[in-house]
Amino acid sequence: MVDRVLPKEQVSAFLDYLRRRYRLWAPVAQGGGFVFAEIDHPESIRLDYPTTMLPPKAAFLPPNEILLSIDMESLESAPPPAEDKPIALLGVHPCDLHGLMRLDMAMREEPSDASYVSARRGALIIGLACVHRCRPEAFCDSMETFRGAAGADLYLTPIEDGFWVEVRDGAEESLADAADCFRPPSDRQKREKDDINRQIDLEFSGRRLSLETLADDLEKTYTSSYWAKLADRCFSCGACTAVCPTCVCFDVRDDLAGGCKTADRCRSWDSCLLKDFAAVAGNENFRPKRHQRLRHRMMRQGSYLAKRFNLPAFCVGCGRCPAMCLGKISPLEAFEFSQKGRTVHV
Amino acid sequence: MKKLRVAFYSFTSCEGCQLTLLECEDRLLDVLGAVEIVRFREASSYEGGEFDADADIAFVEGSISTVHDESAARTVRSRSKKLVAFGACADIGGVNAIKNREGVETARERVYGPAAAWIHSSAARPLSAVVPVDAALHGCPVDKDELIRFIFAAAVGAKLPDPAAPVCFECKLRQTACVFQKGEVCLGPITRGGCKAICPAFGSGCDGCRGLAPDANLLLMRRLLKERGLDGSDLARRVDLFNAAALTEDQRRELIGHA
Ligand code: SF4
Ligand code: SF4
Ligand code: SF4
Ligand code: SF4
Ligand code: SF4
């Protein structure tokens, strides 16, 4: 790890560099909120954003994509033409960095996902520290995902003169042409950065879970009547998984196009909350009931994938799902229930 | 391979769903390349009988609200291998069914005045109330992309799966700020998606034109709407805009509080 400072007056030169070399994705304002989008005009970038509607995962795993097009006469098939430049994701908050790392584990698990791997190839991930909690529903403190740097090639912390930049070992060379933008940090800047880190630790000191035992505690609630009660507040709408940085489930469907001359193999995000998600041949459904689907999502976030990938949890506590859910269902509440045996507030 | 013979018919409706197909301008030649259209009054100068063709698939727009509709629907059914309810009117009764709730007689007098006695009309019903239906395209009007995909799939003998996700799911994928959370009323959480959440995307809450989503949590919807100040007859009006004939009595009781 090398420490650098990106002075305010060098930021626009650095953005120009990024745009020459990468397809730059960053947060911009949209419809009263913020979204990650490919940047045409650097002045639209909003590094002061609290959080985005969809997570940055969409850069590598788009909500809808064509994996393959098949010519129905020759039956030749080809993936869509590759993009000319890799993606640079700028301004990724710590929870989303942890989300991207989990996404990577799931998508690269053998057999790895070809389309994802190709979209992710050569990407530059630039993290951005959170000094304040982005929204009251966020529980990155409890999930211990509020600290960054891991998962980022560069990790920015805002300081008075610009940004403190932690450069991951091995990432220096992706900056070679932009080396002029960066300065070695001064002692004063170092003290400022240490102060900010202390502030961050204070801001995010409200842990409410014992992560070490969460995966086991949660599984013990499997037969509890808690889930049916919680499901009274659930629409089975899938909004929670749609906004989740760590949900990776998708559907694949062949669509005919151009008067049936081509068939496109289309992939789109799916959701385990939806009624048809676990429907199989013979009119069977593994999870026909709403509470079974809701329980599955919580188990998946707090236990199943945590165990599979040797993590404390898969959920990163980004707070998107509790903020979006009209029934105000939060994984934190389910996780807490498993550890405290609290009754559900309906 | 012989092209699929496709017919379009229309009963009690505004004919907007047929128009939706005609508005797929850039894809019309592709459609004609994939299927043979044997009847389509709104788009042709054919002046023969309306229901005199045999078809592999008939797309039937409109609800059933006259004896003529009813007998024509039977004719179409008997001359078509597959029948598709084409749009909300045919699928769930749609806007025409509003009159069912205020009484068919009252509605007839309001619309036809002194000539009311001359006109026959019944409660507006979905196509499936009269004849077996093989598939439905939802929405008022139907979604262009879904319609085109449906036609191409049918041309090769396949059937599109019915979307199961409520409107909220696509609404999130589109990154629309939730109009419900902004304080308005939206039926998206209980409504079958597939429309790409077009209404919230343009700032207006969902009116439920695609009918109920599978497993919709009606009690929860009612509770949240009540918190929004929508209750009683106002709630019934909102629901009845498209779903007056679409809900069972039990579902109405859950959602509105009375049947
Ligand atoms: S938990 Fe909330 S967001 Fe998720 S499906 Fe249920 S109601 Fe929708
Ligand atoms: S489950 Fe909810 S809080 Fe956890 S990572 Fe996903 S969206 Fe964020
Ligand atoms: S569903 Fe709507 S657009 Fe289609 S015919 Fe009926 S009223 Fe018209
Ligand atoms: S605007 Fe309506 S459809 Fe969209 S998320 Fe909110 S409640 Fe659901
Ligand atoms: S948002 Fe609702 S009313 Fe609007 S098109 Fe979709 S289902 Fe119909």
Side-chain angles (χ1 to χ4, degrees):
Chain A
M1 182 96 74
V2 189
D3 291 330
R4 288 280 176 273
V5 163
L6 177 65
K8 269 189 194 132
E9 58 283 4
Q10 291 296 331
V11 170
S12 83
F14 181 55
L15 292 178
D16 285 345
Y17 161 79
L18 288 175
R19 288 201 311 136
R20 273 197 308 279
R21 211 163 140 164
Y22 297 94
R23 279 177 291 139
L24 177 61
W25 282 61
V28 297
Q30 180 192 299
F34 294 88
V35 301
F36 272 95
E38 197 169 340
I39 300 297
D40 291 324
H41 307 286
E43 47 306 342
S44 64
I45 297 176
R46 291 286 299 274
L47 291 180
D48 60 341
Y49 82 109
T51 178
T52 52
M53 297 202 209
L54 291 187
K57 145 184 120 175
F60 304 128
L61 181 66
N64 294 290
E65 68 182 310
I66 294 178
L67 298 175
L68 208 63
S69 287
I70 302 153
D71 182 315
M72 291 295 273
E73 262 152 46
S74 65
L75 295 183
E76 304 270 324
S77 69
E83 296 285 351
D84 53 341
K85 293 189 232 173
I87 288 175
L89 261 181
L90 170 66
V92 183
H93 281 167
C95 63
D96 282 338
L97 288 175
H98 287 273
L100 288 173
M101 285 192 285
R102 283 156 170 70
L103 179 69
D104 226 42
M105 291 175 186
M107 299 306 273
R108 288 188 198 276
E109 193 185 30
E110 289 299 329
S112 65
D113 185 277
S115 174
Y116 171 83
V117 169
S118 134
R120 183 76 174 73
R121 188 170 294 127
L124 185 75
I125 311 285
I126 306 175
L128 176 66
C130 286
V131 184
H132 301 289
R133 189 185 296 262
C134 60
R135 55 169 29 133
E137 295 87 352
F139 53 100
C140 53
D141 42 8
S142 290
M143 304 316 284
E144 292 179 19
T145 52
F146 63 91
R147 253 188 234 102
D153 296 301
L154 308 182
Y155 188 69
L156 313 185
T157 304
I159 56 172
E160 209 186 317
D161 301 334
F163 294 98
W164 181 279
V165 186
E166 292 163 60
V167 184
R168 181 180 62 78
D169 291 335
E172 300 94 337
E173 91 194 47
S174 59
L175 294 182
D177 304 343
D180 289 353
C181 299
F182 297 92
R183 308 274 175 275
S186 69
D187 286 346
R188 183 184 56 77
Q189 287 165 333
K190 170 102 178 58
R191 279 194 302 277
E192 188 189 348
K193 154 81 169 39
D194 290 343
D195 272 350
I196 293 173
N197 276 355
R198 273 191 290 275
Q199 269 176 48
I200 292 176
D201 280 342
L202 265 177
E203 170 85 12
F204 297 100
S205 57
R207 281 173 199 57
R208 288 161 62 176
L209 297 171
S210 323
L211 279 189
E212 312 71 48
T213 59
L214 177 62
D216 287 330
D217 295 341
L218 194 61
E219 272 183 31
K220 288 188 196 122
T221 67
Y222 195 87
T223 55
S224 165
S225 59
Y226 170 77
W227 298 108
K229 269 184 264 161
L230 191 64
D232 286 345
R233 283 159 47 196
C234 175
F235 282 114
S236 255
C237 70
C240 46
T241 66
V243 299
C244 180
T246 72
C247 278
V248 293
C249 287
F250 54 78
D251 192 18
V252 174
R253 182 189 73 221
D254 290 345
D255 272 347
L256 289 143
C260 304
K261 289 191 199 70
T262 46
D264 293 327
R265 178 145 298 174
C266 305
R267 158 152 86 183
S268 48
W269 292 359
D270 204 342
S271 169
C272 59
L273 271 302
L274 302 178
K275 175 93 190 225
D276 64 350
F277 184 85
V280 292
N283 260 341
E284 294 294 334
N285 193 329
F286 296 116
R287 292 187 285 274
K289 297 214 165 75
R290 205 184 292 134
H291 81 268
Q292 296 171 325
R293 301 195 288 275
L294 180 61
R295 177 179 63 193
H296 174 79
R297 173 170 83 96
M298 294 303 186
M299 291 284 168
R300 185 263 185 214
Q301 289 293 1
S303 179
Y304 302 156
L305 291 201
K307 290 187 172 177
R308 174 140 143 207
F309 292 108
N310 208 10
L311 291 161
F314 217 65
C315 165
V316 294
C318 73
R320 285 186 179 89
C321 69
M324 296 298 154
C325 174
L326 293 184
K328 298 200 168 64
I329 292 177
S330 171
L332 177 61
E333 137 187 22
F335 297 167
E336 276 194 302
F337 167 79
S338 77
Q339 302 202 315
K340 292 187 189 153
R342 289 190 177 185
T343 45
V344 57
H345 305 288
V346 181
Chain B
M1 202 169 73
K2 246 183 108 241
K3 277 192 195 168
L4 194 80
R5 290 167 57 84
V6 175
F8 289 87
Y9 299 118
S10 180
F11 298 135
T12 302
S13 70
C14 80
E15 310 208 334
C17 288
Q18 294 184 74
L19 198 58
T20 300
L21 175 57
L22 296 176
E23 282 171 353
C24 298
E25 285 114 352
D26 54 335
R27 289 170 282 184
L28 285 179
L29 291 178
D30 284 342
V31 170
L32 289 174
V35 300
E36 182 191 352
I37 295 186
V38 294
R39 287 290 177 275
F40 195 164
R41 184 180 44 74
E42 187 160 275
S44 76
S45 52
Y46 178 76
E47 286 182 358
E50 249 236 272
F51 306 104
D52 60 345
D54 294 317
D56 294 313
I57 294 197
F59 288 84
V60 176
E61 176 197 72
S63 53
I64 305 297
S65 74
T66 64
V67 268
H68 167 265
D69 286 350
E70 196 165 329
S71 71
R74 291 188 209 286
T75 308
V76 168
R77 174 73 269 189
S78 69
R79 304 197 66 160
S80 319
K81 289 189 195 141
K82 292 265 154 61
L83 203 58
V84 180
F86 185 36
C89 294
D91 177 24
I92 54 176
V95 283
N96 306 316
I98 296 173
K99 73 169 181 183
N100 301 4
R101 294 281 154 195
E102 71 175 281
V104 174
E105 295 305 321
T106 319
R108 184 160 48 219
E109 268 157 38
R110 177 126 63 89
V111 175
Y112 298 108
W118 296 48
I119 311 287
H120 169 84
S121 74
S122 60
R125 287 155 295 160
L127 188 60
S128 61
V130 177
V131 289
V133 167
D134 299 292
L137 283 161
H138 312 285
C140 177
V142 294
D143 177 77
K144 282 183 192 165
D145 296 328
E146 194 178 28
L147 168 60
I148 297 285
R149 270 189 290 148
F150 187 98
I151 294 175
F152 290 164
V156 300
K159 188 179 160 188
L160 286 192
D162 226 5
V167 176
C168 296
F169 187 63
E170 286 174 308
C171 195
K172 288 288 158 269
L173 298 188
R174 211 172 163 148
Q175 311 202 66
T176 300
C178 177
V179 301
F180 200 99
Q181 291 184 327
K182 284 189 193 161
E184 284 170 43
V185 165
C186 183
L187 297 181
I190 55 165
T191 300
R192 186 189 290 281
C195 59
K196 310 180 200 83
I198 183 170
C199 297
F202 287 90
S204 156
C206 171
D207 278 311
C209 80
R210 294 175 63 96
L212 283 189
D215 228 4
N217 191 338
L218 302 178
L219 283 173
L220 177 60
M221 189 81 254
R222 178 163 150 223
R223 208 181 79 204
L224 296 186
L225 290 173
K226 195 169 177 184
E227 283 168 23
R228 274 282 170 294
L230 192 71
D231 203 4
S233 59
D234 290 339
L235 172 57
R237 283 167 68 95
R238 179 85 182 206
V239 170
D240 287 344
L241 182 55
F242 288 107
N243 288 282
L247 275 54
T248 65
E249 296 297 290
D250 282 351
Q251 287 172 327
R252 279 188 82 80
R253 244 187 301 276
E254 284 192 9
L255 182 55
I256 301 171
H258 54 85

